[in-house]
Amino acid sequence: QLYGACMSSVTHAALVTVAVNGLLRAGRVQIAASLLLATLLRAAREGAGGGGLATALELGHTHALLDACASTPGHMREAQAIVRALLAANATVDAKTYCILIKGFGRNGDARGVSTTLRAMRAAGVPPDLVTCNAALDAYARSRAPDEARALLRSMEEAPSDAALASCGAAVGARQPRLPAPNARSFNAVLKALAIAGQVDDARALAERMGGSLPVVRTASASLAAPAPIA
């Protein structure tokens, strides 16, 4: 604490990063998470004075710790706490930050966690990119939540373009980040969600609807007769 009071934010952040990386290499995920959390909470308490410390922490290293928490059974709470602390300290968060959480919830079969993270992401003003939306669709499939997967796909299909928003006079700064248009992987993820849930007829109907413009979907539909759960 004495050294922390005297050193610059950049130096302090560098030392924390080294320590966190060393702990991760040693498999001490919980201790690494506790160290980063303590650092971010200190930055949040110090307000503008501690903001330099939070912003000096490299996002890539933060992602590595988040991914370790989200990939390790029993550590999703630490991952969520880190994201909340990043926001409280005015540190940088991006689409990948939320995507890591979404994948973690998918591994745990937690559809509600996926939905909550998507809402939090948009509320924070972080535009959901296609990678994140596809990760959410896959997480819904893992969570056996076909209704949520179909609802997200529908929202992606119905999202207005920037040109359409501009034509109706929508203020760019006042609207919530819009969802990206789906691609073949998006439809395949929903097909998988439907098939895993045993909704084979609905899956076939979706494959037939999109098969003309998305050959990849037509290929994936060949396995719908005997769907297998995701490992």
Side-chain angles (χ1 to χ4, degrees):
Q1 290 179 344
L2 176 61
Y3 283 113
C6 300
M7 68 180 65
S8 70
S9 295
V10 174
T11 303
H12 190 180
L15 290 175
V16 170
T17 297
V18 170
V20 166
N21 288 342
L23 288 165
L24 286 179
R25 285 194 295 271
R28 309 299 293 273
V29 175
Q30 187 165 0
I31 297 176
S34 297
L35 175 58
L36 182 60
L37 273 173
T39 303
L40 291 170
L41 291 174
R42 172 186 168 178
R45 284 195 305 270
E46 293 177 356
L53 172 58
T55 55
L57 292 167
E58 294 185 23
L59 191 57
H61 296 297
T62 304
H63 285 160
L65 177 55
L66 274 177
D67 190 55
C69 290
S71 303
T72 305
H75 289 288
M76 275 304 296
R77 287 186 178 180
E78 285 93 336
Q80 291 174 273
I82 288 170
V83 174
R84 287 195 297 268
L86 286 167
L87 293 170
N90 292 318
T92 302
V93 294
D94 61 4
K96 186 173 182 179
T97 306
Y98 290 95
C99 189
I100 291 170
L101 287 184
I102 286 169
K103 289 180 178 180
F105 283 122
R107 294 186 189 100
N108 291 334
D110 186 351
R112 179 177 295 181
V114 176
S115 298
T116 299
T117 302
L118 279 174
R119 287 195 297 270
M121 180 181 189
R122 300 183 76 186
V126 179
D129 58 10
L130 186 57
V131 171
T132 303
C133 287
N134 284 345
L137 291 170
D138 185 68
Y140 284 137
R142 288 173 177 262
S143 304
R144 297 180 179 271
D147 292 342
E148 288 83 347
R150 280 192 288 195
L152 176 55
L153 179 66
R154 190 180 309 115
S155 295
M156 293 170 69
E157 289 184 283
E158 295 173 353
S161 66
D162 287 335
L165 287 170
S167 68
C168 65
V172 174
R175 64 177 186 260
Q176 199 176 52
R178 69 184 182 89
L179 295 175
N183 63 1
R185 185 170 181 176
S186 311
F187 288 98
N188 275 321
V190 178
L191 282 173
K192 184 165 57 179
L194 293 168
I196 289 173
Q199 299 178 16
V200 179
D201 289 342
D202 289 341
R204 291 189 185 283
L206 177 61
E208 290 172 5
R209 177 167 71 86
M210 301 310 302
S213 58
L214 291 171
V216 176
V217 171
R218 193 164 53 245
T219 301
S221 68
S223 64
L224 292 177
I230 303 176

